[in-house]
């Protein structure tokens, strides 16, 4: 693969040539450099996508081995793949693949939302992307990682903005949780103050408590379990893997 300069530097060279009214030979040289080194192509972005999927798979494996803080690495990889801003381009945008189908374990809530829309809603509680199982120490919250479990395939941009939980009347989307974990709570940056909605979902007992041997045991690390489930959804999306060459 040919060596590349950063694209911003290349365009700066060309701009300086025109702005300073440099002789034509210098301008021709600038275009020659751009033509030789070029911009990153689709194959490069596909390779980057494959790398991020690899990060997700390895972090998921470590999470399942007990290193639950790998969820923050999961958040970082998801941000690289899906998050689009005016200043930062997602991998899927680079690949013109924002409509690629992604696995979603969230049930289609549109019919139910339409049914309750005319009514006054006093409280809402809805959670997906996790299952509850009974273990030696009571009930445990686990990520949804069963290949045969019920799921839908939806466009990536819809997946990113989809509500996967409603807790205390607050809607939580994948995008919001990923960016909080990544940008605020150590995935790629640490803030001294966390958003209250994020504090609420990561708090001990955010999803309630379970009685075990006469004692109330709070559900722990729900936010990390949700992120682990998202990693499975992405790595188990066949069309995305095809784009990545996997």
């Amino acid at each position: 693969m040919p060596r590349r300069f950063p694209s911003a530097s290349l365009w700066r060279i060309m701009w300086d040539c025109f702005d300073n009214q440099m002789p034509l030979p210098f301008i021709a040289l600038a275009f020659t450099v751009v033509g030789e080194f070029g911009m990153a192509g689709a194959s490069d972005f596909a390779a980057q996508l494959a790398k991020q999927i690899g990060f997700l798979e390895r972090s998921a494996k470590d999470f399942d081995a007990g290193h639950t803080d790998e969820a923050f690495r999961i958040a970082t990889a998801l941000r690289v793949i899906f998050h689009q801003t005016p200043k930062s381009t997602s991998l899927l945008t680079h690949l013109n693949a924002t409509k690629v189908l992604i696995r979603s374990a969230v049930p289609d809530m549109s019919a139910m939302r339409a049914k309750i829309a005319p009514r006054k809603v006093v409280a809402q509680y809805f959670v997906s992307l996790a299952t509850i199982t009974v273990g030696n120490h009571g009930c445990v919250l686990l990520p949804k990682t069963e290949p045969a479990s019920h799921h839908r395939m939806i466009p990536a941009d819809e997946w990113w903005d989809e509500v996967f939980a409603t807790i205390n009347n607050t809607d939580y989307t994948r995008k919001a949780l990923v960016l909080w974990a990544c940008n605020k709570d150590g995935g790629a940056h640490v803030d001294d103050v966390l958003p209250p909605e994020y504090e609420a979902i990561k708090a001990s007992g955010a999803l309630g408590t379970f009685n075990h041997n006469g004692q109330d045991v709070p559900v722990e690390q729900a936010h990390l379990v949700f992120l682990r489930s998202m990693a499975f959804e992405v790595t188990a999306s066949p069309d995305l893997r095809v784009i990545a060459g996997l």
Side-chain angles (χ1 to χ4, degrees):
M1 182 178 295
R3 184 166 54 90
R4 289 185 171 87
F5 293 134
S7 59
S9 298
L10 291 174
W11 293 116
R12 171 57 60 185
I13 292 171
M14 294 172 61
W15 175 259
D16 287 344
C17 287
F18 285 107
D19 192 43
N20 294 315
Q21 297 182 343
M22 298 180 72
L24 286 176
F26 287 96
I27 297 176
L29 175 61
F31 276 101
T32 301
V33 171
V34 173
E36 179 181 354
F37 292 97
M39 304 289 285
S43 60
D44 303 300
F45 292 127
Q48 289 288 342
L49 177 59
K51 181 168 68 175
Q52 297 300 323
I53 291 175
F55 290 157
L56 290 175
E57 291 174 334
R58 291 191 291 275
S59 288
K61 183 177 180 181
D62 287 343
F63 183 104
D64 295 345
H67 303 288
T68 55
D69 55 356
E70 282 294 321
F72 294 101
R73 296 185 191 269
I74 288 172
T76 303
L78 292 174
R79 185 184 70 170
V80 171
I81 296 171
F82 292 96
H83 190 46
Q84 174 71 25
T85 74
K87 295 183 178 180
S88 179
T89 305
S90 71
L91 271 179
L92 292 187
T93 299
H94 278 306
L95 289 162
N96 194 29
T98 57
K99 296 296 183 181
V100 63
L101 297 181
I102 305 295
R103 179 184 178 117
S104 173
V106 179
D108 186 356
M109 302 293 291
S110 57
M112 188 183 77
R113 291 181 187 276
K115 186 176 181 179
I116 66 174
R119 304 177 184 178
K120 180 180 178 180
V121 178
V122 177
Q124 280 186 289
Y125 185 89
F126 156 71
V127 173
S128 61
L129 301 189
T131 60
I132 296 174
T133 186
V134 179
N136 295 330
H137 302 287
C139 293
V140 180
L141 193 70
L142 296 175
K144 281 193 173 182
T145 58
E146 282 294 327
S149 63
H150 176 76
H151 64 277
R152 300 176 296 133
M153 301 301 294
I154 62 177
D157 53 354
E158 295 180 20
W159 180 91
W160 187 231
D161 288 317
E162 186 176 41
V163 173
F164 69 86
T166 301
I167 303 170
N168 296 326
N169 292 339
T170 299
D171 288 340
Y172 290 90
T173 65
R174 294 183 182 88
K175 174 182 177 179
L177 182 58
V178 166
L179 295 184
W180 288 330
C182 189
N183 298 345
K184 306 288 186 180
D185 199 22
H189 182 76
V190 178
D191 275 4
D192 55 348
V193 178
L194 299 176
E197 299 90 348
Y198 181 61
E199 289 274 24
I201 201 172
K202 69 174 288 189
S204 176
L207 301 188
T209 60
F210 299 94
N211 188 276
H212 178 64
N213 294 333
Q215 291 186 337
D216 287 336
V217 180
V219 175
E220 302 284 356
Q221 299 187 329
H223 62 310
L224 305 185
V225 171
F226 293 143
L227 290 168
R228 170 62 181 93
S229 294
M230 293 177 204
F232 173 73
E233 290 178 314
V234 173
T235 58
S237 298
D239 291 354
L240 187 70
R241 299 186 71 88
V242 168
I243 293 173
L246 297 174

